[in-house]
Amino acid sequence: MLLPLVAAVAGAGWGLLLPGLIDRYAVDWPTGRPRPAWRSACPACAGARPPWWRGPRRCPDCRRPLTPGWAVTVPLTAAVTGIVGAGVGAGWALPAFLLLAALAVPLAVVDLRVLRLPDPLVGVAAGGGLALLLLAAVADPAFPALGRALLAAVLCGFGYLALTLLPRSPLGFGDVKLGAALGLYLGWLGWPTVVTGVLLAPLVNLPLVGVLLVTGRAGRRTPIPYGPALLGAAMLAMVR
């Protein structure tokens, strides 16, 4: 029980920094115009923003609040890191999975807000996870698990790409990249975990779609974010 608690406390600390990070990436932009990758000014008053890791909860100039605030990011990140710590357990691979848990909340929230999975965050999840799993494979050693993880990442990436290319597919290329990154982690844990994570994603997405429809945030023809479902299914699959 100590490991999940420590992971949850560390996640809560990370959650204190997330409002600024989410606000920077959740850039809503008019259709047809190139969307900037990073918000550098307050959308309300155009005032310059300080670095996200030491930014205030409000704009220094117009006092616009950052959403979501600590009341959302701290408990949510603590819960995700605690669940991952309990599911994966102590071992050399744990830092890689905690990295994924730390990035899961900003990825999910940004996708919910602006239908976007920022490439820098997905890239850190994929590249950082691969580096940490490589270190785990050398230290353990567990090269078969690493090979399985790489193969699962490739298969998940091509699988989601095929689904994206189907007519009227709700998936985007951000989902493809995230699916491949999640395949890396799920593959490390085994093929049953990969299958579970892939099959759970549509089921996890159903209540999310229902909530968005009921609250009026989405319609029948409105694109629905799939990143939160991918991340939620992966986290549930890791709990063995």
Side-chain angles (χ1 to χ4, degrees), residues 65-87:
L66 303 185
T67 55
W70 291 344
V72 174
T73 59
V74 170
L76 191 56
T77 311
V80 171
T81 52
I83 290 172
V84 170

Side-chain angles (χ1 to χ4, degrees), residues 42-142:
C42 174
C45 69
R49 296 292 308 279
W52 65 267
W53 58 84
R54 61 181 179 86
R57 287 185 294 172
R58 294 178 178 270
C59 172
D61 297 326
C62 69
R63 307 303 296 169
R64 167 187 172 268
L66 303 185
T67 55
W70 291 344
V72 174
T73 59
V74 170
L76 191 56
T77 311
V80 171
T81 52
I83 290 172
V84 170
V88 177
W92 288 100
L94 181 60
F97 286 89
L98 291 180
L99 172 66
L100 175 63
L103 296 172
V105 172
L107 281 169
V109 174
V110 171
D111 199 21
L112 283 170
R113 289 180 61 179
V114 295
L115 287 172
R116 179 189 181 200
L117 291 165
D119 285 339
L121 298 184
V122 177
V124 171
L130 178 59
L132 291 172
L133 290 178
L134 177 60
L135 292 175
V138 173
D140 199 18

Side-chain angles (χ1 to χ4, degrees), residues 168 213 218-224:
R168 297 185 178 181
L213 291 175
R220 293 183 178 181
R221 298 184 179 181
T222 304
I224 301 294

